[in-house]
């Protein structure tokens, strides 16, 4: 095997830790450094996963470390600026969904990808789940003929992830469940159908249960600190 890919992870909360453990399991990646706005988390994760260098500021990490690629696992409103910065510093990027909080930001990311010649991959993980990749293969083989109707859904019976933190604050998350988990269902359907061009988009959003829905156990309690939910804002629609 050749040299290991040198990777940095920005944001080591719930999903950032999963990126780290998954990279380590491949045996093909060296996690060179991590960064997180919470130094507590940086220290915990360094210890837990044996990572020698940790930073509070992602920009400092990108300046000081020689990285091939970064994973961006921060709240949604940071995705555009941190992706653009990482691409400018010469890194390939694995970016968590949703890509950004609006289309202007998403277009800026795409522009920077083209300018930099680097790869940016969105973390659309459903495409790698075996039943969806099987459906994709059948669609490609023409098993379904012309697909003219598709229905996708994902139901969270109870619980709001990160209740009272960035997840439920519109200016940080960009929206509610459609933005958080709906992107997986939408992406997967469009991907299986080979991205038909939308003619029209309409939708409904509601806010009924709010704080009564309780905490859904995500991000996993062990990965949080008080900071994460202290603003108690819930202004996204469900
Ligand atoms: N692919 C999936 O199915 C999946 C699952 C969960 C989360 N996600 C996505 O991953 C991202 C993170 O979600 P999470 O559940 O891990 O949230 P989280 O709140 O557990 O983790 C986010 C981390 O980012 C850190 N952070 C905040 N501001 C920062 C900054 N300026 N620089 C560096 N670090 C900063 C926080 O301290 C926190 O540790 C979100 O975009 C979410 O949509 C994707």
């Amino acid at each position: 095997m050749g040299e290991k890919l040198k990777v940095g992870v920005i944001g080591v909360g719930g999903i950032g830790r999963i990126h780290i453990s998954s990279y380590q399991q491949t045996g093909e990646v060296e996690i060179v450094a991590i960064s997180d706005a919470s130094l507590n988390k940086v220290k915990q994760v360094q210890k837990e996963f044996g990572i020698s260098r940790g930073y509070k500021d992602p920009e400092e990490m990108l300046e000081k470390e020689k990285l091939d690629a970064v994973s961006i696992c921060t709240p949604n409103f940071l995705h555009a600026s941190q992706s653009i910065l990482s691409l400018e510093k010469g890194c390939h990027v694995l970016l968590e969904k949703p890509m950004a909080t609006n289309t202007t930001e998403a277009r800026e990311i795409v522009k920077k990808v083209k300018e930099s010649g680097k790869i940016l991959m969105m973390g659309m993980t459903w495409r790698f789940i075996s039943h969806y990749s099987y459906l994709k293969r059948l669609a490609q083989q023409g098993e379904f003929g012309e697909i003219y109707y598709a229905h996708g859904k994902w139901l969270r019976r109870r619980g709001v992830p990160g209740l009272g933190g960035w997840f439920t604050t519109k200016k940080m998350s960009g929206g509610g469940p459609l933005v958080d988990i709906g992107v997986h269902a939408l992406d997967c359907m469009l991907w299986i159908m080979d991205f038909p061009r939308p003619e029209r988009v309409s939708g409904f959003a509601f806010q009924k249960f709010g704080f009564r829905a309780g905490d859904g156990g995500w991000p996993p309690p062990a990965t949080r600190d008080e900071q994460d939910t202290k603003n108690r804002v819930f202004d996204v629609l469900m």
Side-chain angles (χ1 to χ4, degrees):
M1 205 205 314
E3 231 180 280
K4 286 188 175 181
L5 199 69
K6 294 185 173 7
V7 169
V9 177
I10 304 179
V12 292
I15 206 74
R17 288 161 179 261
I18 294 178
H19 280 234
I20 293 170
S21 65
S22 307
Y23 279 131
Q24 289 184 337
Q25 277 169 43
T26 68
E28 294 175 20
V29 172
E30 181 193 351
I31 307 288
V32 173
I34 55 169
S35 76
D36 194 291
S38 155
L39 269 180
N40 276 345
K41 289 190 192 176
V42 170
K43 286 188 187 128
Q44 262 176 32
V45 171
Q46 277 187 271
K47 200 165 153 216
E48 195 178 328
F49 294 94
I51 300 163
S52 55
R53 289 188 296 281
Y55 298 84
K56 187 174 165 65
D57 178 11
E59 188 161 1
E60 192 186 343
M61 177 180 85
L62 290 164
E63 287 287 343
K64 291 192 174 157
E65 302 291 342
K66 248 191 109 25
L67 301 170
D68 298 312
V70 291
S71 266
I72 298 181
C73 305
T74 47
N76 306 345
F77 74 104
L78 295 165
H79 289 185
S81 58
Q82 291 181 339
S83 298
I84 289 170
L85 184 69
S86 305
L87 292 162
E88 281 173 352
K89 301 286 180 196
C91 294
H92 301 295
V93 173
L94 175 55
L95 175 59
E96 265 304 342
K97 47 50 62 176
M99 187 173 199
T101 54
N102 58 56
T103 41
T104 308
E105 285 180 352
R107 288 199 177 101
E108 282 166 11
I109 297 176
V110 172
K111 185 166 168 268
K112 186 55 72 180
V113 170
K114 287 180 181 154
E115 282 169 14
S116 66
K118 295 288 163 187
I119 297 167
L120 180 137
M121 182 177 184
M122 284 306 310
M124 303 315 308
T125 43
W126 278 28
R127 296 191 194 187
F128 299 91
I129 298 175
S130 55
H131 43 262
Y132 296 121
S133 45
Y134 179 62
L135 284 177
K136 172 71 178 174
R137 198 161 67 243
L138 292 181
Q140 281 171 325
Q141 289 164 354
E143 283 292 325
F144 305 132
E146 181 197 357
I147 303 176
Y148 59 87
Y149 179 82
H151 178 112
K153 70 174 179 185
W154 189 355
L155 181 67
R156 181 187 280 270
R157 186 176 58 84
R158 190 174 172 81
V160 177
L163 189 62
W166 72 262
F167 267 110
T168 55
T169 306
K170 189 160 192 253
K171 68 175 194 303
M172 292 198 255
S173 62
L178 177 66
V179 168
D180 183 36
I181 53 177
V183 288
H184 282 297
L186 270 174
D187 174 74
C188 205
M189 278 192 300
L190 292 168
W191 174 64
I192 289 169
M193 293 189 292
D194 205 16
F195 295 96
R197 197 174 175 283
E199 290 283 338
R200 201 178 309 149
V201 177
S202 62
F204 300 94
F206 308 89
Q207 191 185 46
K208 184 164 172 60
F209 301 109
F211 275 93
R212 278 196 297 137
D215 184 310
W218 185 272
T223 72
R224 301 184 205 164
D225 62 28
E226 219 175 283
Q227 267 320 84
D228 294 345
T229 49
K230 79 162 198 269
N231 69 30
R232 305 292 291 166
V233 174
F234 193 136
D235 63 359
V236 293
L237 296 176
M238 308 181 70

